[in-house]
Amino acid sequence: MILAPVIDRDKKLLGMLHLLTTDSDTVFDSDDLGFVLAVAEILAESLRNLSVRGKLDRSLRRSQKQIKALREQLGDKVQIVGQSDAVRQIIEQVSMAAPTGATVLVRGESGVGKELVASAIHYASGRANGPLVCLNCAALSPSLLESELFGHEKGAFTGATDRKAGKFESADGGTLMLDEIGEMDLDLQAKLLRVLEGHPFERVGGHQPIKVDVRVVAATNRDLQAMVGEGKFRQDLFYRLHVVEILVPPLRDRGKDIVLLAEHFLAGFNEKMGRRINAITPAAQSILLDYPWPGNIRELRNVIERAVVLNATESIDTKHLLLTPAAVGGSAPAAAASDSPVETSLADLEKAHIERVLRHTEGNKSRAASILGIERSTLDRKLKRFAKDGTTW
């Protein structure tokens, strides 16, 4: 019998190689022992390689899971979709501004993707490996906003049971996005200006100076320059924030980007919900392009999500698109009224508007009722009443 240890290069015992013979005429000699020891050595190296490969495979699977999780967390935050001149200009401005470290002011209507631009600036900069922290200045009272920005010490105010680091500390080495900067209180604006100028700050209720390395990207849907003239925004802070300005256009001014974005959202919701909706019909695309999108990209995303959720077919058609009745009903009648004589009755205005919406939907009454914000049966009753007056539909 030969019993040989299987030991790897790190002197770790992996097992034993057992060789036994029951033939009384066979006697193991030193050559057999040398052969078995050589086999044990080769086996040890093979087992070690398998172990290393297994660890690499497991590490790769963990990395893939982490990448997938990060992608899900980021979602669409760093992907600017579009081919319009406006989008090309934004991408060019981001690529030029990101590496410089300059303060950036992002302006645009609500829902146009200002946070997306701020994220793109962060991930295209040398701070990409640092944190990206976002704070909405309109969501908090002045005192709470100060605490969120600069942190507070234990006992600084009622409810402050522990010390808390602020957003500036959390964003150290990275980027801090201040959304709706125009809503910030004037006193807090002064404190923010000092930090932007490189001065240290103190937590609320504290006395220890804190200095951080943070790049600030501010965003607003308001005209800060006009607010400066009204005394509602500090002029010195405006100039400090206005080093680089990026204007994000409303969705209605981006042309065929609307369809590209809709298809982008469709692909994302297909993957997320396990659906197989392959296309958006030409008729549906036409409606998307004609709609004014008061809620911009945020509204478009919600419209496509609903169209995917409540859709059992393989394409998105006009009947699947539910646009905001308030937006359509709020803008169209005003236009109709401005083109009509003041003596026109409400009944005639209603009739003209319904006729306009039906032309827009190419006679699709269900779609028209959705835009008008009424039930299909209500629309049918109105059409019957109009028919009695001699109007044909």
Side-chain angles (χ1 to χ4, degrees), residues 266-335:
L266 173 59
F269 288 127
N270 271 335
E271 182 178 357
K272 183 178 180 181
M273 301 177 190
R275 299 294 178 86
R276 293 186 177 180
I277 302 174
N278 302 320
I280 302 173
T281 65
Q285 291 185 21
S286 178
I287 286 180
L288 292 176
L289 290 169
D290 289 342
Y291 183 65
W293 298 110
N296 291 295
I297 296 175
R298 186 182 295 122
E299 182 182 7
L300 174 61
R301 187 180 188 277
N302 293 340
V303 166
I304 298 301
E305 182 176 12
R306 180 190 180 280
V308 172
V309 171
L310 302 178
N311 193 342
T313 68
E314 294 184 352
S315 63
I316 293 178
D317 203 355
T318 55
K319 63 183 178 182
H320 303 121
L321 299 176
L322 180 61
L323 305 179
T324 308
V328 178
S331 58

Side-chain angles (χ1 to χ4, degrees), residues 104-115 118 135-138 177-184 217-225 227 233 238 241-242 245-248:
V104 179
L105 178 64
V106 184
R107 289 203 306 114
E109 295 178 6
S110 178
V112 295
K114 296 188 289 294
E115 186 175 336
L135 178 63
N136 190 325
C137 300
M177 179 198 176
L178 298 177
D179 199 8
E180 304 299 345
I181 189 73
E183 307 302 322
M184 185 177 288
V217 177
T220 183
N221 60 2
R222 303 183 65 177
D223 186 345
L224 295 186
Q225 199 160 9
M227 292 179 67
F233 200 84
F238 171 73
L241 294 173
H242 200 254
E245 180 182 88
I246 297 179
L247 182 62
V248 185

Side-chain angles (χ1 to χ4, degrees), residues 126-137:
R127 299 173 178 266
N129 293 326
L132 171 62
V133 179
C134 299
L135 178 63
N136 190 325
C137 300

Side-chain angles (χ1 to χ4, degrees), residues 165-197:
K167 299 300 184 185
F168 266 105
E169 288 180 77
S170 301
D172 192 18
T175 305
L176 174 61
M177 179 198 176
L178 298 177
D179 199 8
E180 304 299 345
I181 189 73
E183 307 302 322
M184 185 177 288
D185 178 77
L186 282 169
D187 292 336
L188 193 52
Q189 289 177 27
K191 191 169 182 179
L192 172 63
L193 177 61
R194 282 187 54 81
V195 178
L196 292 179
E197 290 177 339

Side-chain angles (χ1 to χ4, degrees), residues 38-58:
V39 171
E41 194 174 319
I42 293 171
L43 179 59
E45 189 64 24
S46 298
L47 291 173
R48 181 181 182 279
N49 290 339
L50 285 173
S51 175
V52 170
R53 181 175 178 178
K55 289 179 180 178
L56 289 174
D57 287 342
R58 289 191 294 273

